Amino acid sequence: MSSSTPSQEPTSSENTNLKPEECLSNSERRNDKKIVCIHCSSIILSFFNRPGDSIWLDGDEREMPMARQKKGGDLTETEKLQGWWTVADMFTFENVGFTNSVDGIRYLTCADCDFGPIGRVTESNLHIVAPSRVKME
């Protein structure tokens, strides 16, 4: 005699905290979910309109300014992040803003609420988005 418990569907709030490896659709490591702003839920990258346009890149540790800075501080607080959603063409994004160059780096922000940086443009003109700065649905 075996007992089974009914499976429960996750709620939508549980779906928005997916890990990148849970969003990979195939061996090419392409995204199969929407990537949205963690503050306003504006769509940053939409799987439905452009399937697989973002590719997961492991490693590649880079420093990014913290999204929230302490007031009165003279230095910009940063954190080291690794693992990125990569996008080759800036027109792939649904709603993303680009900052002016800061020390030679252009950062990505949410175009609707200005939260960011959520990513940056690399030296090779690749656009990278930090999964800890967005949510996936």
Side-chain angles (χ1 to χ4, degrees):
M1 180 168 148
S2 68
S3 68
S4 68
T5 58
S7 65
Q8 293 183 344
E9 290 294 319
T11 64
S12 64
S13 63
E14 291 170 338
N15 283 336
T16 60
N17 200 16
L18 297 171
K19 294 181 174 129
E21 56 270 15
E22 296 173 305
C23 298
L24 300 177
S25 63
N26 56 39
S27 62
E28 294 175 357
R29 304 175 62 80
R30 295 185 181 274
N31 181 30
D32 70 350
K33 305 286 185 213
K34 287 188 298 186
I35 297 175
V36 301
C37 177
I38 59 175
H39 288 281
C40 71
S41 296
S42 178
I43 298 172
I44 304 295
L45 285 164
S46 173
F47 168 75
F48 302 109
N49 293 337
R50 297 178 181 95
D53 278 344
S54 56
I55 300 172
W56 179 250
L57 173 67
D58 283 320
D60 193 21
E61 184 176 85
R62 294 177 182 256
E63 276 197 40
M64 288 266 294
M66 299 288 288
R68 294 199 171 105
Q69 299 287 321
K70 291 181 184 172
K71 291 187 180 191
D74 291 336
L75 297 175
T76 301
E77 295 179 286
T78 63
E79 68 178 325
K80 290 184 180 183
L81 300 174
Q82 66 180 23
W84 307 89
W85 289 112
T86 63
V87 175
D89 183 0
M90 67 186 242
F91 295 107
T92 300
F93 291 106
E94 295 288 329
N95 295 298
V96 75
F98 291 84
T99 66
N100 291 325
S101 182
V102 177
D103 296 329
I105 300 171
R106 293 188 71 197
Y107 293 100
L108 309 177
T109 64
C110 172
D112 287 338
C113 72
D114 289 329
F115 172 76
I118 59 169
R120 61 175 280 189
V121 181
T122 67
E123 302 78 20
S124 61
N125 214 28
L126 186 66
H127 304 80
I128 59 176
V129 177
S132 61
R133 305 277 177 98
V134 295
K135 61 185 177 182
M136 291 159 273
E137 302 182 324

